[in-house]
Amino acid sequence: MANLYGKSWTRDELLQRVGDISQLARIKPTTLADGFEDGVKSLDVTNGSGLTFSVLASRGLDISTATYNGHALAWRSAQTDKHPAFFEPTEKNWLRTFYGGLLVTCGLTTIGMDSEDAGQKLGLHGRASHLPATYVTYSGEWEGDEYHLSVSGKMREAIIFGENIEWRRTIHTRLGEKRFWVIDEVENMGYSTSPHMFLYHINLGFPVVNENSRFFSPTVVAEPRDSVAEVGKEDYNRFQPPTSGFNEKCYFHTMKPNAEGLVTTGIVNPDLLNGEGLGLYVTYHQSQFPYFCEWKMMGQGNYVVGLEPGNALVLGRAKERELGRLQFIEPGEIRKYHTEFGVVSGKADIDGLIQKTSI
């Protein structure tokens, strides 16, 4: 049954009260038509819980704008939802088309710092978020008294004489749910072994991120990436007002999973919703994402915290190979990733998040 407006409803009870279910929940396809965004295809998801988000079919089926009852969840950069044709893959120019957004996927063959590996020059964070989706489908279907909404599609990263990687994604939610799921499959469609690096760049911003907000995680160790992050490392889970001249800080977390092998992390601003608190959590499988980076950026305008589960750290492919950690995907092999995103609203939700992140 769908839980809406403080009550559980059957399918028949709801359909008697609306002309069409789109009155309560829908997926609306749109095409952006201004400036650098011109031509970008989007699917705007509303599921009746107060949660809305935009899935960019032109950008890897990643998630751009996201809100809950009018509260922004994700940080948005000045780059806007740029068309992938503007992508500059060299060095750190990935940043010229990094719109922020709730979910930007990094990979499929490299993540992290730009580097030169095996004679190949690799740009920051790879090409994944600039791959346009094909065979895009979206649906809203009743299954008994539950109404399911989903978006699916395929992306391909390939080059002649090199990798041929297909990436299949489904984003799924239900009527009345404050959560959704991202299900990814990455398959080596080629005939040679390929490096495989994969990371979710989850970018939370104001008002979820503010000076009284807190990052919750089952952290055993939070290792500063460099000397900049070493300063104030004891406050990795706390934040500050926008600060002039702030230099980004990254922390590599060793997490303790629960008995099912799941790790939950999240950020909550306790001041929102009249002091009840609002935030967002992410639950992932540690076997799929054994590494986690926290990106803490407290600058003016660039005021964002990134939660970044991945199958590697963000030091670049050359460094991962040097350290013996670089993962590979064999011909015909499929890697699967299943991750839950959800809104935290109110004391009961916050208590639940604290319980899941306690060690």
Side-chain angles (χ1 to χ4, degrees):
M1 298 176 72
N3 189 357
L4 287 170
Y5 322 124
K7 179 181 175 181
S8 294
W9 305 83
T10 66
R11 170 182 174 173
D12 186 59
E13 287 171 336
L14 286 175
L15 292 183
Q16 288 184 54
R17 287 167 169 81
V18 299
D20 184 78
I21 194 62
S22 61
Q23 183 171 327
L24 304 175
R26 69 180 300 186
I27 298 175
K28 182 179 180 181
T30 62
T31 301
L32 305 183
D34 190 43
F36 289 113
E37 299 179 331
D38 191 24
V40 171
K41 296 183 182 301
S42 175
L43 297 114
D44 299 334
V45 181
T46 303
N47 74 355
S49 70
L51 175 65
T52 66
F53 54 91
S54 296
V55 180
L56 300 184
S58 299
R59 297 287 303 267
L61 291 178
D62 279 337
I63 298 172
S64 177
T65 303
T67 65
Y68 179 72
N69 285 339
H71 295 76
L73 299 173
W75 172 72
R76 295 269 297 163
S77 83
Q79 306 306 324
T80 73
D81 295 332
K82 282 186 177 177
H83 194 282
F86 293 104
F87 179 42
E88 299 178 27
T90 57
E91 299 177 337
K92 295 179 175 60
N93 288 320
W94 180 89
L95 294 170
R96 292 190 178 274
T97 43
F98 175 40
Y99 54 81
L102 188 64
L103 171 61
V104 169
T105 306
C106 303
L108 300 166
T109 61
T110 185
I111 64 170
M113 296 299 295
D114 55 306
S115 66
E116 183 170 343
D117 178 59
Q120 184 180 4
K121 291 185 178 180
L122 303 165
L124 178 70
H125 279 321
R127 299 175 179 271
S129 70
H130 294 82
L131 299 175
T134 60
Y135 295 99
V136 176
T137 60
Y138 60 97
S139 66
E141 303 288 345
W142 285 101
E143 295 183 13
D145 287 323
E146 290 186 344
Y147 188 68
H148 295 252
L149 301 130
S150 66
V151 177
S152 297
K154 299 179 180 182
M155 286 67 64
R156 182 74 68 97
E157 180 178 342
I159 184 172
I160 296 172
F161 308 129
E163 68 272 6
N164 183 0
I165 310 295
E166 182 174 270
W167 165 31
R168 301 180 287 270
R169 167 166 285 178
T170 296
I171 298 175
H172 170 247
T173 188
R174 292 191 289 259
L175 175 65
E177 295 264 12
K178 298 186 297 184
R179 56 182 177 162
F180 63 88
W181 295 266
V182 177
I183 301 115
D184 284 326
E185 289 187 353
V186 179
E187 181 174 0
N188 186 346
M189 304 291 286
Y191 294 91
S192 59
T193 301
S194 173
H196 175 49
M197 301 179 76
F198 199 61
L199 177 139
Y200 289 166
H201 211 297
I202 302 160
N203 310 289
L204 303 186
F206 178 83
V208 171
V209 173
N210 211 8
E211 53 260 41
N212 291 330
S213 300
R214 185 177 173 189
F215 170 46
F216 294 93
S217 64
T219 297
V220 178
V221 177
E223 178 185 354
R225 180 181 66 177
D226 51 28
S227 59
V228 173
E230 185 75 28
V231 178
K233 63 182 180 180
E234 64 278 2
D235 292 323
Y236 73 85
N237 61 345
R238 299 186 182 276
F239 309 110
Q240 63 197 67
T243 304
S244 175
F246 190 92
N247 291 318
E248 66 176 4
K249 297 183 178 185
C250 289
Y251 298 96
F252 301 150
H253 289 252
T254 299
M255 302 289 196
K256 182 179 180 180
N258 68 11
E260 289 75 43
L262 299 174
V263 173
T264 296
T265 70
I267 294 178
V268 173
N269 182 345
D271 298 332
L272 296 177
L273 301 185
N274 297 317
E276 289 293 311
L278 176 68
L280 185 130
Y281 73 86
V282 180
T283 298
Y284 62 90
H285 295 260
Q286 192 175 65
S287 61
Q288 297 169 0
F289 290 130
Y291 301 98
F292 186 95
C293 176
E294 174 197 354
W295 175 46
K296 182 177 177 180
M297 183 61 224
M298 301 280 96
Q300 295 167 307
N302 297 321
Y303 190 64
V304 52
V305 179
L307 310 182
E308 304 176 19
N311 73 349
L313 292 178
V314 292
L315 301 173
R317 198 169 89 185
K319 189 66 174 180
E320 289 299 302
R321 188 187 296 272
E322 175 189 329
L323 295 173
R325 296 193 304 231
L326 181 60
Q327 294 194 26
F328 296 87
I329 185 168
E330 300 296 330
E333 183 182 357
I334 298 174
R335 298 286 184 90
K336 297 183 179 182
Y337 304 89
H338 191 293
T339 305
E340 178 180 318
F341 295 69
V343 172
V344 179
S345 61
K347 186 177 185 304
D349 282 0
I350 295 173
D351 288 345
L353 177 61
I354 293 172
Q355 183 177 2
K356 288 179 180 179
T357 56
S358 298
I359 59 173

